[in-house]
Amino acid sequence: ALCRENGCRLTLALAESGPGTFDPDSLRVEGRLPDGVFTGGELPAAVLEALTGLSLPVLCIDYYSPLYPFYYVGLNNYYDGYRLTHHLIERGHTRIGFIGHVRYAGTLTDKYFGYRKALLDFALPYNRLWHLNENFNTKADYALHLPAQLRTAVICHCDLTAKKLYLALRFRKIRIPEQVSVVSFDDTELSEELSPRLTSMGLPRVRFAAAAFELMERIFSQNQSPCALTLDCSIHERDSVALLRSE
């Protein structure tokens, strides 16, 4: 919508996630390369290397790497992981688990280490059995992958994982938030649709898009040097976290 309102043309190109090479010519429209490139999320190294060779600005949305001379717009996922963990600590939780494969994406890795840092700062225990280090979303039998000894609170790396956790807890007749509190990242529509409504941390997609578009405009008009723009997001508190007096 922003491109249309400003008289710009936006073309979508899909990159394969598997091994192999990326042909920059796939970005051509009517025989010419675009004036600039937006990327979304973490891309394969072959794609990033190919984009490095282009003499046009590349702006990465929701991804950052010091290895490539691009422009970046994203969140401080490490700090956000810390903040969401602290949100639970403030409400009396001391046995806090995490669901998400730390090698799945750099953004997830940062959230995980923010979680670990918060536990360390508040002298709270970390138990590796409380970390479900896998892609919970792909498990058909996810209810069987929960540890026997549950924590009082669980941080999910995204709202879809939280939805799967809700179903797994319901299967085991465990109540949210009375027995286990659940929080998540992204703050998508799912957070309002789940019952109880999910406390989630995120930024509206329209703000992401607006920040990226404005930075690309500055690149063209002001010859902006490569930079990283970090956006602030909020914790949207709903009904999925219990207030504990003591454990």
Side-chain angles (χ1 to χ4, degrees):
L2 285 169
C3 289
R4 184 173 62 252
E5 292 167 4
N6 289 271
C8 303
R9 181 176 178 178
L10 182 67
T11 303
L12 177 66
L14 300 179
E16 296 291 337
S17 59
T21 59
F22 174 74
D23 182 7
D25 280 339
S26 65
L27 298 174
R28 291 185 180 274
V29 178
E30 297 176 352
R32 64 184 294 268
L33 286 171
D35 298 316
V37 175
F38 293 104
T39 73
E42 191 163 342
L43 295 176
V47 177
L48 296 172
E49 291 291 347
L51 292 176
T52 302
L54 298 177
S55 57
L56 51 85
V58 176
L59 196 160
C60 301
I61 302 172
D62 199 27
Y63 171 74
Y64 172 78
S65 171
L67 303 178
Y68 303 100
F70 299 152
Y71 302 84
Y72 299 92
V73 173
L75 306 175
N76 188 334
N77 290 286
Y78 177 83
Y79 176 59
D80 293 342
Y82 188 105
R83 286 176 60 201
L84 196 55
T85 308
H86 182 246
H87 177 82
L88 294 170
I89 295 170
E90 283 188 316
R91 284 148 184 80
H93 295 273
T94 59
R95 299 199 308 275
I96 303 169
F98 189 96
I99 297 180
H101 197 302
V102 296
R103 300 294 294 274
Y104 179 72
T107 53
L108 196 159
T109 306
D110 292 343
K111 293 170 186 174
Y112 170 76
F113 282 109
Y115 149 76
R116 291 290 305 272
K117 179 64 162 57
L119 296 182
L120 183 66
D121 281 356
F122 289 88
L124 296 180
Y126 168 74
N127 186 328
R128 62 182 180 82
L129 297 178
W130 298 350
H131 175 208
L132 198 59
N133 188 32
E134 56 184 73
N135 190 348
F136 204 53
N137 299 342
T138 63
K139 298 292 183 181
D141 57 346
Y142 45 82
L144 303 179
H145 287 257
L146 293 177
Q149 182 187 4
L150 285 171
R151 309 58 112 200
T152 66
V154 180
I155 299 172
C156 297
H157 78 89
C158 70
D159 291 344
L160 182 57
T161 291
K163 177 182 178 180
K164 293 293 186 74
L165 179 61
Y166 269 52
L167 294 173
L169 293 173
R170 185 173 301 162
F171 177 81
R172 289 178 51 174
K173 295 180 170 50
I174 297 171
R175 300 188 309 279
I176 303 170
E178 292 85 356
Q179 292 172 276
V180 175
S181 294
V182 180
V183 297
S184 181
F185 294 93
D186 292 345
D187 194 43
T188 61
E189 293 83 357
L190 268 178
S191 59
E192 286 286 352
E193 294 169 0
L194 292 172
S195 180
R197 297 182 311 144
L198 174 67
T199 292
S200 187
M201 185 175 195
L203 186 74
R205 284 173 289 184
V206 66
R207 282 191 55 197
F208 248 129
F213 186 84
E214 289 168 8
L215 178 55
M216 187 67 85
E217 282 192 317
R218 290 204 303 274
I219 294 168
F220 292 142
S221 64
Q222 304 174 21
N223 197 25
Q224 172 76 51
S225 300
C227 62
L229 176 63
T230 303
L231 305 177
D232 292 328
C233 65
S234 302
I235 298 174
H236 301 271
E237 191 168 1
R238 297 186 178 91
D239 310 319
S240 62
V241 176
L243 179 63
L244 302 184
R245 295 188 182 277
S246 61
E247 293 190 278

